Each structure stands twice: as structure tokens, then as C-alpha cells.
Amino acid sequence: MFFALALLACLPASLACDVCGCSITGQYIGMLPQFHGNFAGLRWSEQWSVSGHTRAALAAGADISKEHVQSLDLLTRLMVNPRVQILLALPYRVFNRTGENTHIHAQGLGDISMLAYYLPVQTAPSAQWRHTLMVGGGFKLPTGNSRLATSDGLLIPANLQPGSGSFDLLVAANYTIRRHQWGLNTDLTAKLNTANTNDYRFGNRISGALRVFHWLGKGRATLLPNAGVFSELSAEDRDGHNAPEATGGWYCSAATGLDLIAGRFNLGINYQTPVAQNLGHGKAKTRSRWTASVNYIF
């Protein structure tokens, strides 16, 4: 199974002619003008979820665990030439899981990801219908700590560790079509995982997004409201020869966002809420997530 990861692009409105919308580590970044310059930025995201030992316990709200995940990501893009770019992401993550009699807290630097994008298709700015296709591949390095333990020496669950401890492969594709002020963006991103030194392997994941956006430009400022859907499919994790409880499954979320590009700065916010899901054989549920970002183009 595969995991969602595609890194973004951004630049000032005075240089922009097309836009893309991308996601990273399964979280949508936003609609951004693309493929024109280097950038560096920060993205803050939060997500909530719950899990139970059984479907019935989760439905009744009894004997459940609540999880809150926060992430601050450093993002940067370096242009190799007009058709090739290299993107990097380094997260800092904070996890909190609360049960009836337990509380687990973990935080630290996560795994760095690197993705190279190639632009095989881009129509001229004068075209009535503008098309942009980006394809890419890369990897995630095990730079984050995957062996944090509780005060009594027990290893914290793998999904609460800042890093996965594994070397993973990434692939991505992103397509945008625009006519005048209206456009459609879709992306497909995937991650193929390997086992870490603890013999734990996260399930491979694949995700996709479809978004409609409206281009509102005046002078050097551009406003991009957008709305669409985001979905993800994941195989079960493996702990040695065993399958841990409440892993794997699928979900689909409705997403809405707003991005402002002004001069050399981009500000964006995005909100997702699930509309359908089946996670961990019904033993887990994801709730809302939101993301805010700021980028500087240089």
C-alpha cells in the first residue's frame, strides 16, 4: 500500500501563471502558484482522532483513547532548472494520547523527506486552456527518533513516535487545468514503506485529492479560494509477523481552503472534515484536521 506525499510549490503573483495544489504526509497544503522560484516556509497542522478496543466501545464512547497530533514542518524548494525542482520537508511533531487511566506524550524531530519533481507538460500563459503536469519521486530518511519510551521503560507505540525508523520510497503526480479564473487540480501521492530496526513496518499508503479553485487577482495580490475532497487508503501495519490492532483502512474528507499570495509571501489555511471512513476495522476514527502555512519566495 502507499502513502500520501507530494511537496508543494509557491511564488509571487507577479510571476505566476499556473497553480498547483499538493499534500505532504497526508495533509493538504493549499493552492499555490508553482514552478517559478525557490521558497522556504513553515506549516502548522493539527489533527484529532479516537480509537477503541472494539467497534461497540468506539460507538458507545466507552473505553476509548483520544489522540491529538500537532506538527510544525519546515518546507523548502530549490530550482535546478525551469523543469526540475527539489523539495525538502522536515517536521517537528507532538503527540498526545489520553485514555481512561493513561496519558502518553511524545515529541521530537521527525523524518526528513526529499522529492524531485519534473515538469513534462506546461502550456503557454497565452493559452485559453492551461495545463500543467508534474511527476516526481523521492525518499524519506529515518532521521527522527523511533525508540522513545515511557517513564517505566516501555516503548511508546510506533504511531506516536516522531520518526518511523524506516527508509521509504515516494512517488507523486500532480495535474492542473485552468481556464480564465476557474481551475481544477488533482494529485496522487504514494509511499512504499520498509521495516525499521524494531521490525515494525507501517502499511503502504496511497492518497489522492481533487479540488476546484477560483483565481481572484488584483495587482500583486492573488486570492485563491478552493474546495474539494481528499482520500487515503492504507494497508495494515506489521509488527514482526503480527498485525497491530486498529491500523489500515480508508477515509474520505471534504476540504476547503483559502490562499493569499502577495508579493513574495504566501499565506494559506485549509480545513478537512471526514465524510466517510473505515479505519482499523472500525476501531478507529479520524476527526477534523486543519493546516496553516506561510512561505517566502526568493
Side-chain angles (χ1 to χ4, degrees), residues 17-298:
C17 62
D18 292 290
V19 297
C20 76
C22 301
S23 55
I24 179 171
T25 59
Q27 297 181 19
Y28 174 61
I29 294 176
M31 298 301 306
L32 297 168
Q34 52 81 37
F35 238 93
H36 296 276
N38 304 316
F39 82 88
L42 292 172
R43 184 193 63 190
W44 174 260
S45 61
E46 295 191 63
Q47 180 176 349
W48 292 263
S49 61
V50 295
S51 60
H53 295 297
T54 65
R55 286 174 176 259
L58 184 60
D63 192 24
I64 64 173
S65 296
K66 298 180 180 179
E67 294 183 7
H68 181 205
V69 181
Q70 300 167 294
S71 182
L72 179 64
D73 302 306
L74 173 62
L75 307 170
T76 187
R77 179 183 68 183
L78 302 175
M79 301 299 299
V80 178
N81 60 51
R83 288 191 177 271
V84 177
Q85 59 182 253
I86 296 175
L87 304 111
L88 300 169
L90 177 61
Y92 186 91
R93 292 178 177 167
V94 180
F95 301 89
N96 282 285
R97 172 184 286 178
T98 303
E100 290 189 359
N101 300 306
T102 62
H103 179 256
I104 298 176
H105 174 83
Q107 65 183 60
L109 286 173
D111 296 336
I112 189 170
S113 298
M114 177 178 177
L115 188 66
Y117 261 124
Y118 175 68
L119 182 72
V121 176
Q122 185 176 46
T123 52
S126 59
Q128 287 191 346
W129 290 92
R130 299 181 184 178
H131 304 267
T132 302
L133 175 64
M134 300 166 62
V135 293
F139 50 83
K140 182 186 69 62
L141 298 175
T143 55
N145 195 338
S146 62
R147 298 192 61 83
L148 292 179
T150 61
S151 57
D152 53 8
L154 296 177
L155 200 65
I156 289 174
N159 65 325
L160 300 182
Q161 298 282 355
S164 69
S166 61
F167 177 90
D168 307 320
L169 297 177
L170 311 169
V171 294
N174 187 286
Y175 174 72
T176 303
I177 182 171
R178 180 163 74 96
R179 179 176 170 84
H180 303 308
Q181 280 71 44
W182 288 95
L184 179 71
N185 169 263
T186 181
D187 67 70
L188 184 68
T189 62
K191 178 165 168 267
L192 181 62
N193 300 310
T194 64
N196 61 23
T197 55
N198 303 325
D199 202 21
Y200 193 98
R201 185 172 75 86
F202 287 93
N204 299 325
R205 305 190 181 189
I206 186 168
S207 69
L210 180 69
R211 295 168 288 266
V212 175
F213 63 90
H214 188 53
W215 183 289
L216 300 172
K218 185 176 182 180
R220 290 174 57 85
T222 299
L223 195 64
L224 291 170
N226 59 87
V229 293
F230 176 88
S231 62
E232 182 173 288
L233 174 67
S234 172
E236 290 184 329
D237 298 352
R238 302 297 296 182
D239 189 358
H241 296 292
N242 302 315
E245 290 187 2
T247 66
W250 61 271
Y251 75 93
C252 181
S253 295
T256 183
L258 182 65
D259 291 272
L260 171 65
I261 304 119
R264 292 190 173 273
F265 288 93
N266 161 259
L267 301 174
I269 189 167
N270 178 266
Y271 178 79
Q272 294 182 19
T273 184
V275 294
Q277 59 182 299
N278 183 14
L279 298 172
H281 301 285
K283 298 178 182 178
K285 282 189 177 182
T286 185
R287 291 181 173 172
S288 61
R289 65 169 62 169
W290 71 275
T291 300
S293 61
V294 57
N295 301 291
Y296 176 74
I297 303 92
F298 58 94

